[in-house]
Amino acid sequence: MRMSIFCSGLFLCVLLGACAAPVKRYAPASGLLEVEGLDSLLQLDRSLITIIDVRPATDFRLGHIPGAVNIWRPALADEHFSYSSITAPRHKLEAEFGRLGIRADRPVVVYDGQMNADAANLWWIFQLAGKADVQLLAGGLKAWEAARLPLETDTLALAATVFQFPGKGDSSHYASLSSVLLALNDPDVVLLDTRTEDEYTGLKVKAGAKKGGHIPGSILLNYTDATCERDGCTQLKSIATLQAMFADKGITKDKKIICYCHSGVRSAHTTFVLSALLGYPSVRNYDGSWEEWSQSDSLPFVTGNQPLMPIFP
């Protein structure tokens, strides 16, 4: 069976009976599905899985993977905050997924149009809520297009469902502001800033942040460093290359890792890479990230080479 060589997660192996061999580029159960594997599943039976396109609706309507439903960031955010970086509560997410016709008992494949940061953010949200049978499409939409696989422009209207997350959820990948505060002086915790260097130094301040800079003691490693170096490439680097890259920064498996970015989206991608691909046992994504941290004048921050600001001035 052609599709068996592309199974990259246990849930797809179950769907298809058995997987004769692991995925081409990544370890089994890595959380990644190659485009050929998804194409084979679609040819077999679209109803086997739910495909979620995490892009603005205008982009979705220009072309998307056949059978995909569309969701974008505002639907995943908690509207009770003045900034957009806090994830929506469970009941809002369940209502949104039900409105889209997503079924809780079907495996999910997610993708976006860039480097899968938004897709990884949705993967992370599903993990928090206890739905583990979720995979990222390796390389996202760009890899699908590069393989010359079909797109469609019709909007799929699924019948609404009553969506409920299984169980009580799993908070092991979640970090709050208080979690980060406790980690500031903990040598066993690595704070990992996954933004650009200009954001890290404070030279660039994105909309929603009150000021620029970074959390004291955090290590800078742009999330895009995990992808291949060719222009326009959205595929992740090999496992060996990724392992060496993080180890070179002192980000090792014996440490507890807290990732953050501007709003928790890019850092969700790094959380995915470290936990789902590299098997790091303790990786958390700071939900509010810099957008939340920058709001308070009492929290410490660093800009460029300036000294640390006191926690309680």
Side-chain angles (χ1 to χ4, degrees), residues 29 38 49 64 126 132 155 173 180-181 207 236 254 256-257 277 300:
L38 179 57
I49 53 174
H64 52 267
F126 274 124
T155 300
H173 287 313
V180 179
L181 272 174
L236 289 165
D254 60 312
K256 299 174 183 177
I257 317 298
L277 291 189

PDB file of all heavy atoms in Angstrom, residues 29 38 49 64 126 132 155 173 180-181 207 236 254 256-257 277 300:
ATOM      1  N   ALA A  29       5.578   8.563  14.908  1.00  0.00           N
ATOM      2  CA  ALA A  29       4.803   9.271  15.941  1.00  0.00           C
ATOM      3  C   ALA A  29       5.381  10.645  16.228  1.00  0.00           C
ATOM      4  O   ALA A  29       5.337  11.151  17.341  1.00  0.00           O
ATOM      5  CB  ALA A  29       4.728   8.453  17.228  1.00  0.00           C
ATOM      6  N   LEU A  38      -0.946  12.556   3.206  1.00  0.00           N
ATOM      7  CA  LEU A  38      -2.250  13.206   3.240  1.00  0.00           C
ATOM      8  C   LEU A  38      -2.971  13.011   1.912  1.00  0.00           C
ATOM      9  O   LEU A  38      -4.175  12.747   1.881  1.00  0.00           O
ATOM     10  CB  LEU A  38      -2.100  14.692   3.549  1.00  0.00           C
ATOM     11  CG  LEU A  38      -3.405  15.497   3.594  1.00  0.00           C
ATOM     12  CD1 LEU A  38      -4.382  14.914   4.603  1.00  0.00           C
ATOM     13  CD2 LEU A  38      -3.141  16.960   3.903  1.00  0.00           C
ATOM     14  N   ILE A  49     -10.354  11.801   8.197  1.00  0.00           N
ATOM     15  CA  ILE A  49      -9.660  12.824   8.966  1.00  0.00           C
ATOM     16  C   ILE A  49     -10.356  14.169   8.805  1.00  0.00           C
ATOM     17  O   ILE A  49     -11.185  14.353   7.908  1.00  0.00           O
ATOM     18  CB  ILE A  49      -8.195  12.984   8.519  1.00  0.00           C
ATOM     19  CG1 ILE A  49      -8.139  13.222   7.006  1.00  0.00           C
ATOM     20  CG2 ILE A  49      -7.349  11.799   8.917  1.00  0.00           C
ATOM     21  CD1 ILE A  49      -6.757  13.541   6.493  1.00  0.00           C
ATOM     22  N   HIS A  64      -7.087  26.128  -1.250  1.00  0.00           N
ATOM     23  CA  HIS A  64      -6.743  25.364  -0.061  1.00  0.00           C
ATOM     24  C   HIS A  64      -6.765  23.869  -0.379  1.00  0.00           C
ATOM     25  O   HIS A  64      -7.228  23.457  -1.448  1.00  0.00           O
ATOM     26  CB  HIS A  64      -7.724  25.674   1.081  1.00  0.00           C
ATOM     27  CG  HIS A  64      -9.164  25.521   0.695  1.00  0.00           C
ATOM     28  ND1 HIS A  64      -9.907  26.573   0.228  1.00  0.00           N
ATOM     29  CD2 HIS A  64      -9.987  24.443   0.670  1.00  0.00           C
ATOM     30  CE1 HIS A  64     -11.135  26.160  -0.053  1.00  0.00           C
ATOM     31  NE2 HIS A  64     -11.197  24.871   0.204  1.00  0.00           N
ATOM     32  N   PHE A 126      -4.842  22.068  20.947  1.00  0.00           N
ATOM     33  CA  PHE A 126      -5.466  20.742  21.026  1.00  0.00           C
ATOM     34  C   PHE A 126      -4.803  19.891  22.113  1.00  0.00           C
ATOM     35  O   PHE A 126      -5.483  19.153  22.838  1.00  0.00           O
ATOM     36  CB  PHE A 126      -5.368  20.023  19.676  1.00  0.00           C
ATOM     37  CG  PHE A 126      -6.480  20.356  18.717  1.00  0.00           C
ATOM     38  CD1 PHE A 126      -6.203  20.844  17.455  1.00  0.00           C
ATOM     39  CD2 PHE A 126      -7.802  20.160  19.066  1.00  0.00           C
ATOM     40  CE1 PHE A 126      -7.220  21.141  16.558  1.00  0.00           C
ATOM     41  CE2 PHE A 126      -8.840  20.451  18.184  1.00  0.00           C
ATOM     42  CZ  PHE A 126      -8.542  20.948  16.924  1.00  0.00           C
ATOM     43  N   ALA A 132      -5.049  14.443  21.464  1.00  0.00           N
ATOM     44  CA  ALA A 132      -3.670  14.160  21.087  1.00  0.00           C
ATOM     45  C   ALA A 132      -3.511  13.734  19.631  1.00  0.00           C
ATOM     46  O   ALA A 132      -2.406  13.779  19.094  1.00  0.00           O
ATOM     47  CB  ALA A 132      -3.101  13.067  21.991  1.00  0.00           C
ATOM     48  N   THR A 155     -15.709  26.538  -0.528  1.00  0.00           N
ATOM     49  CA  THR A 155     -15.725  26.485   0.925  1.00  0.00           C
ATOM     50  C   THR A 155     -16.569  25.311   1.377  1.00  0.00           C
ATOM     51  O   THR A 155     -17.759  25.218   1.036  1.00  0.00           O
ATOM     52  CB  THR A 155     -16.283  27.785   1.521  1.00  0.00           C
ATOM     53  OG1 THR A 155     -15.458  28.875   1.114  1.00  0.00           O
ATOM     54  CG2 THR A 155     -16.316  27.717   3.044  1.00  0.00           C
ATOM     55  N   HIS A 173       2.160  21.352  28.716  1.00  0.00           N
ATOM     56  CA  HIS A 173       2.809  22.217  27.732  1.00  0.00           C
ATOM     57  C   HIS A 173       2.448  23.698  27.941  1.00  0.00           C
ATOM     58  O   HIS A 173       2.739  24.523  27.082  1.00  0.00           O
ATOM     59  CB  HIS A 173       2.416  21.821  26.306  1.00  0.00           C
ATOM     60  CG  HIS A 173       3.052  20.542  25.839  1.00  0.00           C
ATOM     61  ND1 HIS A 173       4.393  20.280  25.994  1.00  0.00           N
ATOM     62  CD2 HIS A 173       2.537  19.454  25.218  1.00  0.00           C
ATOM     63  CE1 HIS A 173       4.673  19.084  25.484  1.00  0.00           C
ATOM     64  NE2 HIS A 173       3.567  18.566  25.019  1.00  0.00           N
ATOM     65  N   VAL A 180       6.589  31.850  34.539  1.00  0.00           N
ATOM     66  CA  VAL A 180       7.814  32.479  34.063  1.00  0.00           C
ATOM     67  C   VAL A 180       8.503  33.236  35.194  1.00  0.00           C
ATOM     68  O   VAL A 180       9.733  33.201  35.327  1.00  0.00           O
ATOM     69  CB  VAL A 180       7.514  33.413  32.874  1.00  0.00           C
ATOM     70  CG1 VAL A 180       8.787  34.085  32.391  1.00  0.00           C
ATOM     71  CG2 VAL A 180       6.869  32.628  31.732  1.00  0.00           C
ATOM     72  N   LEU A 181       7.734  33.904  36.014  1.00  0.00           N
ATOM     73  CA  LEU A 181       8.315  34.604  37.162  1.00  0.00           C
ATOM     74  C   LEU A 181       9.079  33.639  38.071  1.00  0.00           C
ATOM     75  O   LEU A 181      10.187  33.937  38.518  1.00  0.00           O
ATOM     76  CB  LEU A 181       7.219  35.304  37.962  1.00  0.00           C
ATOM     77  CG  LEU A 181       6.836  36.717  37.530  1.00  0.00           C
ATOM     78  CD1 LEU A 181       5.631  37.204  38.326  1.00  0.00           C
ATOM     79  CD2 LEU A 181       8.014  37.675  37.708  1.00  0.00           C
ATOM     80  N   ALA A 207       2.970  45.470  17.210  1.00  0.00           N
ATOM     81  CA  ALA A 207       1.681  45.958  17.702  1.00  0.00           C
ATOM     82  C   ALA A 207       1.166  45.046  18.808  1.00  0.00           C
ATOM     83  O   ALA A 207       1.240  43.823  18.708  1.00  0.00           O
ATOM     84  CB  ALA A 207       0.681  46.021  16.555  1.00  0.00           C
ATOM     85  N   LEU A 236      11.102  21.338   7.836  1.00  0.00           N
ATOM     86  CA  LEU A 236      11.985  21.352   8.992  1.00  0.00           C
ATOM     87  C   LEU A 236      13.305  20.662   8.672  1.00  0.00           C
ATOM     88  O   LEU A 236      13.374  19.789   7.798  1.00  0.00           O
ATOM     89  CB  LEU A 236      11.306  20.651  10.173  1.00  0.00           C
ATOM     90  CG  LEU A 236      10.131  21.412  10.792  1.00  0.00           C
ATOM     91  CD1 LEU A 236       9.319  20.492  11.690  1.00  0.00           C
ATOM     92  CD2 LEU A 236      10.626  22.615  11.577  1.00  0.00           C
ATOM     93  N   ASP A 254      17.842  17.707  29.846  1.00  0.00           N
ATOM     94  CA  ASP A 254      17.805  17.692  31.297  1.00  0.00           C
ATOM     95  C   ASP A 254      17.229  18.986  31.870  1.00  0.00           C
ATOM     96  O   ASP A 254      16.991  19.086  33.070  1.00  0.00           O
ATOM     97  CB  ASP A 254      19.212  17.471  31.860  1.00  0.00           C
ATOM     98  CG  ASP A 254      20.178  18.568  31.435  1.00  0.00           C
ATOM     99  OD1 ASP A 254      20.208  18.892  30.238  1.00  0.00           O
ATOM    100  OD2 ASP A 254      20.901  19.106  32.306  1.00  0.00           O
ATOM    101  N   LYS A 256      14.289  22.180  31.976  1.00  0.00           N
ATOM    102  CA  LYS A 256      12.882  22.500  31.731  1.00  0.00           C
ATOM    103  C   LYS A 256      12.859  23.723  30.819  1.00  0.00           C
ATOM    104  O   LYS A 256      13.507  24.725  31.116  1.00  0.00           O
ATOM    105  CB  LYS A 256      12.157  22.798  33.048  1.00  0.00           C
ATOM    106  CG  LYS A 256      12.143  21.633  34.013  1.00  0.00           C
ATOM    107  CD  LYS A 256      11.533  22.033  35.351  1.00  0.00           C
ATOM    108  CE  LYS A 256      11.592  20.880  36.350  1.00  0.00           C
ATOM    109  NZ  LYS A 256      11.052  21.284  37.680  1.00  0.00           N
ATOM    110  N   ILE A 257      12.130  23.633  29.727  1.00  0.00           N
ATOM    111  CA  ILE A 257      12.148  24.689  28.723  1.00  0.00           C
ATOM    112  C   ILE A 257      10.825  25.453  28.731  1.00  0.00           C
ATOM    113  O   ILE A 257       9.756  24.834  28.718  1.00  0.00           O
ATOM    114  CB  ILE A 257      12.376  24.112  27.298  1.00  0.00           C
ATOM    115  CG1 ILE A 257      13.478  23.039  27.307  1.00  0.00           C
ATOM    116  CG2 ILE A 257      12.669  25.224  26.323  1.00  0.00           C
ATOM    117  CD1 ILE A 257      14.822  23.517  27.730  1.00  0.00           C
ATOM    118  N   LEU A 277       9.012  16.316  18.088  1.00  0.00           N
ATOM    119  CA  LEU A 277      10.038  15.774  17.194  1.00  0.00           C
ATOM    120  C   LEU A 277      11.271  15.278  17.941  1.00  0.00           C
ATOM    121  O   LEU A 277      11.786  14.206  17.642  1.00  0.00           O
ATOM    122  CB  LEU A 277      10.465  16.829  16.172  1.00  0.00           C
ATOM    123  CG  LEU A 277       9.461  17.234  15.111  1.00  0.00           C
ATOM    124  CD1 LEU A 277      10.138  18.109  14.066  1.00  0.00           C
ATOM    125  CD2 LEU A 277       8.831  16.021  14.449  1.00  0.00           C
ATOM    126  N   PRO A 300      10.460  42.629  35.130  1.00  0.00           N
ATOM    127  CA  PRO A 300      11.807  42.927  34.623  1.00  0.00           C
ATOM    128  C   PRO A 300      11.895  42.709  33.116  1.00  0.00           C
ATOM    129  O   PRO A 300      11.222  41.847  32.556  1.00  0.00           O
ATOM    130  CB  PRO A 300      12.686  41.927  35.369  1.00  0.00           C
ATOM    131  CG  PRO A 300      11.776  40.766  35.617  1.00  0.00           C
ATOM    132  CD  PRO A 300      10.423  41.363  35.895  1.00  0.00           C
TER     133      PRO A 300
END
